[in-house]
Every structure is written in C-alpha cells, then in structure tokens.
Amino acid sequence: MSAPLPFASPDPWWRPGLRELRPGLGELVLEVAGTSVTEHDAEALLRHVCARLTELCGLTGCAAVLFDGSTGAVRTLVASHPEAEQLTRLVQQLGLGIGSAAIRAGRDSAIEDLTQSVRAGLAEAAQRVGLPATAVVALRGADELVGCLQLYSRTLDTLASGLLTELAPLADVLGTVLGNVESYRHSASLVASLTTALDRQGPIEQAKGMLAERHQVDLDTAYRMLREQAHRQATTVVAVAAELVNQSWRATGPVPAQAERASTPERNGAEPADQTPLPEQRGVPAATAEVDSRGA
C-alpha cells in the first residue's frame, strides 16, 4: 500500500468520530483514505483490509467482493483466509441471500444466519468451516454499489453489538477509494487506447498527404491507393503507410544533426559565419584588394 496522502480537507466529516471507534479501526480508516488512486492493486488493498478487520473486530473471517459495473456479477473476491473465501464464493454462486439482496435494494448492511439458509448446501458448509453468522456491508462509490464486505462470526451477537455502525466510516471511505481507483483505471485505459489509435493514424495521414500531392488526387483516393496496396501485399494499411513515409524520409530527409547545425549555428553559442564573399570569389585578386584597402 502507498504512503498516506494529505487530505483535501483538514477535517473530513467522518474524522472526528474516529476517536470513538475501537482501537486500530480509526487508523485503518485513515490508512485506506490515504491510498493513492494511481495504486491499481485493489485486490491487495482489500486483502489487507480483510485481514485487519478480522484481527481488530474479533471476527472469524472477512471477505471483500467487487461487482462488475455493467453486469453486476462478481469481478473480484478476496478474503482473510481460504475458508472465508470459499464460503463467500458459494454464497455468491447460489444467488442472492438476505444480506446481498438487502444491499442491492439500497440498505447499507444486513445480518444473516447462514445455518438457517434454505439454499442447497450453504447451511452445512457454514457449519463445517465454523462461519455460521455473517453480515454484509455495502461499499458504494459515487452513489453506486461497487462491492461489499462479508463479515463472519460464530454468533450473531458479535455482529449486532454496534460493530456495523463502527464500520460505517470505513465502508464509506473504502467505497470511495475503490470507485476512484476504478475511474482512474478506466481513464488510463482510454488514454492508452487513444494514444495507440493516434500512433496508428499518424503514418496513414502522412502517407495520404504524400500520395495526394504526388498523384494530384484527393485524400479519399489516396487512402484507397494505400488500402489496395495493403491488399496486394497481404499486410495492413498502417504497415504500408509507415513504409511509404520511411522511404520518403530516407530518400529526401537530411541528417537531423547536420540540418540543425547548418540552419541554426547560433544554438551552440557560435557566431553566424560571415557570408561576405572572399575577394577571390568576387573576381578581384587578393593582392589588389589589399592595396585598394591601404590606399583607402
């Protein structure tokens, strides 16, 4: 995880209440809040949060689930230990339980006794791994459900004794961070795609201009010429265009360093060469020129 970043506000709305939380929980909230959006490893962040919550809150396990924004399906699932991960995966595979249905309906949290579940195999599995009671806490970013925390305990009392209220600041901050990280990843992916498209389009536009000027045709006709050549060579238009541009540069382009020295000698701190023709170049013998100058 990255080092905490300075807060945009010196006293966020949830910060004064952190002093009232159980030891370590407020520090975890501040740690999550300091996560940089450029840190792409959301799984590592969630795994860290699950391990810390299990330790700080006396839980028997904790899992974190991220949903796909377009389909609502589970995209990422991490947990404090393998049993919690397996049980959470089973809960998600069997469909909406009481807790999941509640948070998808808009509630922030819900508690469920898995041993009373009528879903095939779930009650038995919960008893076998020692995770009979669970609570689901919604994670929302920009008012959209991005995932949830699945808390496990041996008794419902552990989950219903004010723990979910204490976890509200963490859920708010974690949901916001995850939403921001996802937005950053989407933006970075879009920028990369646009950059790739521009890199591919640049040689094509150059080659079209060259062909249009050379053959006195419009740009659409020039592009068709590129496409036909690509078809004949069984390659891409980008490859044909790049080769055409490279050939033109090799045939007519000066060596960049020499061209720069010839055109801008003052860049290196040297004075521009005296362009006055020498006496011999003016058709006047050097000696005569010297006499004339003394006589003047």
Side-chain angles (χ1 to χ4, degrees), residues 41-268:
D41 197 352
E43 291 189 20
L45 171 63
L46 292 174
R47 189 173 287 108
H48 174 73
V49 169
C50 288
R52 290 293 290 155
L53 285 180
T54 301
E55 175 186 351
L56 296 173
C57 302
L59 302 172
T60 52
C62 177
V65 180
L66 292 183
F67 302 126
D68 185 272
S70 57
T71 65
V74 175
R75 189 188 69 197
T76 301
L77 196 161
V78 299
S80 57
H81 59 282
E83 290 78 12
E85 180 177 347
Q86 294 169 7
L87 186 59
T88 304
R89 198 172 299 279
L90 179 61
V91 169
Q92 296 296 328
Q93 289 174 350
L94 291 177
L96 296 177
I98 296 174
S100 298
I103 64 170
R104 289 182 184 273
R107 288 179 55 184
D108 291 331
S109 61
I111 298 176
E112 182 177 2
D113 184 354
L114 296 178
T115 63
Q116 303 300 315
S117 175
V118 297
R119 288 174 290 172
L122 182 56
E124 179 184 351
Q127 290 279 25
R128 185 174 63 253
V129 299
L131 304 173
T134 186
V136 182
V137 179
L139 300 176
R140 304 184 191 278
D143 296 327
E144 294 184 0
L145 184 66
V146 297
C148 67
L149 292 174
Q150 191 97 34
L151 315 176
Y152 293 101
S153 176
R154 297 190 183 280
T155 65
L156 292 176
D157 291 340
T158 302
L159 303 173
S161 59
L163 174 61
L164 301 186
T165 301
E166 287 191 74
L167 290 181
L170 175 64
D172 287 333
V173 172
L174 183 57
T176 299
V177 168
L178 292 172
N180 291 341
V181 169
E182 184 62 24
S183 297
Y184 177 83
R185 291 178 60 183
H186 177 74
S187 298
S189 176
L190 181 60
V191 169
S193 298
L194 292 175
T195 301
T196 301
L198 289 174
D199 290 342
R200 290 170 56 87
Q201 194 65 23
I204 294 178
E205 295 301 321
Q206 285 181 283
K208 283 167 55 178
M210 292 167 53
L211 291 175
E213 181 179 2
R214 183 180 304 171
H215 299 285
Q216 296 300 302
V217 297
D218 58 30
L219 293 178
D220 290 340
T221 302
Y223 180 76
R224 286 196 296 270
M225 295 170 65
L226 288 174
R227 190 172 56 189
E228 291 169 0
Q229 181 68 10
H231 179 72
R232 286 193 296 269
Q233 296 181 359
T235 185
T236 64
V237 173
V238 177
V240 172
E243 180 60 24
L244 179 62
V245 172
N246 289 337
Q247 288 178 357
S248 176
W249 186 88
R250 288 195 298 266
T252 63
V255 178
Q258 294 177 346
E260 183 177 354
R261 287 196 298 270
S263 59
T264 56
E266 64 276 6
R267 291 185 180 178
N268 296 325

